[in-house]
Amino acid sequence: IHPLTRSRAHAVTGSVRAHGRVRDVRSINASVYCRVESYEVGQKKCISDVRRTFCLFVTFDLLFITMLWIIELNVVNGGIQQQLEKEVLHYDYHASFFDIFLLAVFRFASLILAYAVCKRHWWAIAITTALCAFLIIKVILSKLLTQGAFGYLLPIISFVLAWIETWLLDFKVLPQENED
């Protein structure tokens, strides 16, 4: 056989083998997909994907506010020990960020309890809204704005994250779970 004919024959059989491999991969993917789909259909999940995402976002809210508060404690002169004493033990509504941290902890606890453990309660959103009102009043009445960047940053981020949680719950989690 001519060498050129032999290479053409090899190319054709090689492509047939490669095409067969692609078919094998497709059948494996289809098989895996069917197994995953049957698992999801056959067994009810204990928590939906959107609810899990919501719970992760609520956890992110708590961790982010905590991190910002710890950074604020470290930025001010005197060290973290002295700042903790000043903000927690000698709490001053007009100058302390401790209450914003406590709001994040309370928001986390109420939302996780209401939407991860109890599955659905409207009162958690009412609590979140009331906490946002507290943040607005705190910004108006306190001296936080004179304390530099954290005086602006911590209340604004806490407020924005609380409203994102409310939006996520009302417009994503509950409607999608009602469809399912």
Side-chain angles (χ1 to χ4, degrees), residues 11-23:
V12 169
T13 58
S15 70
V16 168
R17 278 190 230 132
H19 186 67
R21 289 182 191 145
V22 170
R23 235 183 260 142

Side-chain angles (χ1 to χ4, degrees), residues 56-69:
L56 284 171
F57 189 78
V58 170
T59 305
F60 167 77
D61 172 18
L62 173 67
L63 295 176
F64 192 63
I65 296 298
T66 302
M67 180 188 68
L68 286 176
W69 184 53

Side-chain angles (χ1 to χ4, degrees), residues 54 57 157-170:
F54 175 75
F57 189 78
I157 287 178
S158 184
F159 183 81
V160 168
L161 287 175
W163 278 101
I164 289 173
E165 290 165 356
T166 302
W167 176 85
L168 184 65
L169 186 71
D170 278 347

Side-chain angles (χ1 to χ4, degrees), residues 137-158:
I137 292 168
K138 181 168 178 77
V139 167
I140 292 170
L141 297 179
S142 70
K143 300 172 190 170
L144 294 179
L145 302 179
T146 62
Q147 294 185 9
F150 281 101
Y152 295 96
L153 191 65
L154 207 54
I156 289 171
I157 287 178
S158 184

